[in-house]
Amino acid sequence: MVSNEEVSSIIDAYPRDRRYALAVMQDMQRTFNYVPENGLIATAEHLDCSVAQLYSMATFYKALSLKPKGKHIIKVCDGTACHLRGANNLVTGVKRELGIVPGEVTADGEFSLELVNCLGSCALAPVLVIDGVYHNKVKIDAIPSILKEHATPVVTQ
Amino acid sequence: MSTAKTLSLTIDGTPCTCESGEYLYDVAKRNGILIPVLCRSDAFEDHRACCRVCIVEVEIKGRRKVVTACVYPVEQECAVYTNSEKIVEERAIVLALLAKRAPESAEIVAMARYYKAPELDRLVELDGGRCILCGRCVQACESLGTGAISTINRGTEKEVSTPYHNPSLACVGCLSCANVCPTGAIPFIQAPSTRSIWGRDFEVLSCERCGAPMGTREEIAYAAKKAGMETPVICDACRKHEIADSMMGTYRLV
Ligand code: SF4
Ligand code: FES
Ligand code: FES
């Protein structure tokens, strides 16, 4: 759970104007990995709009989520080119490694998986993006090492 | 100040006049020509124009185009056809699609039948569907200032709901949403002294004088607060009587 203080520290930085609704929610998404319910309620109060309006926006934009996403976000492109070049295989590969399907988060909260539309790198299909880093012409065998690259390093004493 | 230009047009051959910028639907209505509408409500000023049943053909300088009458501002002389062959056919398809989306809505089904909508066998009906996602309910709730509901999600998942599908704290149980819905899609229960909607149960208060139902406790308090008045305990009719009585008393004293 995100505390009300953490929520206020984000919201208070914005002027009380409804046009900042999306910006506030994006900010919360970045900071908390999701838009928490107390965050929506506090934002509605700050911007003098209804929770319903914000909820409508939050469920409309794919960039916002109402449930916590993983620390690292895996995006598998499923645009036309990537789809034809085996985006499905990448999804299978990730599932084999982490046991999650698109829309899910690993139990330890490390990774979440998303299917996205064309990322504009069709010539390099199939494309997989983790935390903004593009991996091109990905083969299913390469997935374990790619994931390892991005995972939070385990500290051993 | 600019005075709006007066234009003349014909609708299904009937000569009409209107001011430049008036919506075609309003012009037609004033002249006794009824164009079917679903998502349009006279209660609101902005129209979302999403149901498409109000389509008509407009001919300007020999060119014809299909427009939605509810939001088409008449800006030049034109000839309008509300029942041309093309419109009859297209409106029937629009209604056939709406009937697939809202097969449980008696209103939609009746309208589809009336306008001879084709069966479209290869499309499946939406299970339990009543809502056509016109957004009138959301508009009503927003314009009251309560803002208890909104459209959520997108694409095939889109629906009208309260945040998190939870009973809404903002709802005052006024039933505006259900009353403005053209398809009867919003379920509610109205008993003599209680009312339930959007997962909440409300108490309906009665006039302390005549006993007539006045609305939910929350709704009465909300309206009074908005108007900057005390929360009333007697109904409008009784209040008028009271005022009339006291006036009579005053006059008798004079
Ligand atoms: S519930 Fe009724 S008013 Fe609301 S969007 Fe659906 S059809 Fe329109
Ligand atoms: S389809 Fe994947 S980058 Fe274009
Ligand atoms: S009434 Fe015109 S589009 Fe719905």
Side-chain angles (χ1 to χ4, degrees):
Chain A
M1 260 306 275
V2 174
S3 74
N4 289 342
E5 288 71 42
E6 288 174 281
V7 163
S8 313
S9 73
I10 288 182
I11 297 174
D12 292 343
Y14 290 88
R16 289 179 180 269
D17 191 325
R18 278 182 211 188
R19 68 195 154 104
Y20 294 107
L22 195 55
V24 176
M25 289 195 281
Q26 279 177 312
D27 208 344
M28 286 196 271
Q29 178 76 41
R30 252 191 314 270
T31 320
F32 310 131
N33 269 333
Y34 79 121
V35 182
E37 185 171 357
N38 57 344
L40 271 196
I41 296 171
T43 309
E45 215 158 274
H46 186 76
L47 304 179
D48 188 27
C49 58
S50 66
V51 178
Q53 271 169 339
L54 297 180
Y55 189 80
S56 172
M57 283 169 88
T59 53
F60 182 86
Y61 290 109
K62 276 196 183 163
L64 301 172
S65 79
L66 293 162
K67 285 195 221 109
K69 283 193 185 174
K71 231 186 265 157
H72 307 286
I73 295 169
I74 309 167
K75 290 184 181 158
V76 171
C77 177
D78 198 24
T80 313
C82 293
H83 184 84
L84 290 174
R85 291 216 159 219
N88 271 342
N89 287 340
L90 303 191
V91 171
T92 313
V94 173
K95 188 174 174 210
R96 222 179 264 165
E97 275 310 292
L98 301 174
I100 51 171
V101 297
E104 289 184 344
V105 187
T106 52
D108 59 2
E110 273 287 300
F111 287 103
S112 54
L113 177 60
E114 284 167 21
L115 268 186
V116 298
N117 297 330
C118 180
L119 290 164
S121 318
C122 308
L124 305 169
V127 179
L128 178 149
V129 178
I130 306 187
D131 298 341
V133 180
Y134 280 63
H135 297 271
N136 307 319
K137 299 195 176 169
V138 179
K139 301 232 163 55
I140 188 163
D141 320 331
I143 289 184
S145 66
I146 293 178
L147 291 177
K148 211 167 283 156
E149 227 176 273
H150 290 274
T152 317
V154 187
V155 190
T156 44
Q157 281 99 356
Chain B
M1 284 295 292
S2 66
T3 41
K5 211 167 100 200
T6 303
L7 295 171
S8 51
L9 66 158
T10 63
I11 305 179
D12 294 339
T14 311
C16 312
T17 55
C18 73
E19 280 181 6
S20 173
E22 256 189 286
Y23 289 142
L24 189 46
Y25 169 79
D26 296 314
V27 181
K29 192 171 167 189
R30 198 176 52 236
N31 286 281
I33 298 161
L34 226 46
I35 298 170
V37 292
L38 272 173
C39 67
R40 149 111 191 194
S41 160
D42 292 339
F44 308 118
E45 262 170 31
D46 59 323
H47 309 295
R48 303 190 172 183
C50 51
C51 74
R52 317 318 270 188
V53 301
C54 67
I55 49 171
V56 297
E57 262 191 296
V58 171
E59 186 179 316
I60 297 169
K61 299 199 183 99
R63 289 175 144 236
R64 282 193 180 205
K65 59 180 175 183
V66 176
V67 303
T68 42
C70 68
V71 289
Y72 183 78
V74 183
E75 270 154 354
Q76 45 191 312
E77 317 217 320
C78 56
V80 178
Y81 305 94
T82 71
N83 278 313
S84 62
E85 205 179 310
K86 186 178 171 77
I87 290 301
V88 167
E89 189 187 331
E90 288 185 11
R91 185 178 288 141
I93 300 240
V94 165
L95 279 160
L97 292 170
L98 289 173
K100 289 289 175 185
R101 166 164 280 284
E104 296 290 319
S105 164
E107 289 84 348
I108 295 291
V109 170
M111 216 165 151
R113 196 171 305 135
Y114 183 82
Y115 287 100
K116 303 202 169 54
E119 277 303 326
L120 301 185
D121 287 323
R122 64 205 165 86
L123 298 181
V124 285
E125 291 183 346
L126 198 69
D127 214 11
R130 278 212 166 86
C131 174
I132 56 163
L133 294 171
C134 68
R136 252 159 83 158
C137 48
V138 175
Q139 226 175 339
C141 195
E142 268 171 16
S143 64
L144 276 171
T146 35
I149 50 173
S150 58
T151 50
I152 65 167
N153 300 323
R154 58 200 257 185
T156 52
E157 313 258 278
K158 189 168 172 181
E159 59 172 318
V160 171
S161 166
T162 56
Y164 301 93
H165 288 104
N166 283 342
S168 161
L169 295 177
C171 179
V172 294
C174 69
L175 300 188
S176 302
C177 53
N179 289 334
V180 83
C181 175
T183 71
I186 300 181
F188 64 92
I189 302 168
Q190 174 72 70
S193 61
T194 57
R195 186 185 282 171
S196 309
I197 189 165
W198 294 118
R200 273 186 64 194
D201 300 321
F202 295 91
E203 188 192 344
V204 175
L205 303 184
S206 315
C207 170
E208 282 190 1
R209 190 144 311 157
C210 70
M214 289 168 60
T216 70
R217 181 187 298 283
E218 288 80 356
E219 150 183 36
I220 298 168
Y222 184 78
K225 193 171 156 217
K226 232 166 84 170
M229 298 188 323
E230 297 250 328
T231 307
V233 290
I234 56 172
C235 69
D236 277 350
C238 287
R239 208 185 55 230
K240 282 197 193 113
H241 271 289
E242 201 171 64
I243 295 172
D245 284 351
S246 76
M247 288 237 275
M248 222 151 75
T250 327
Y251 281 120
R252 208 164 289 147
L253 285 178
V254 186

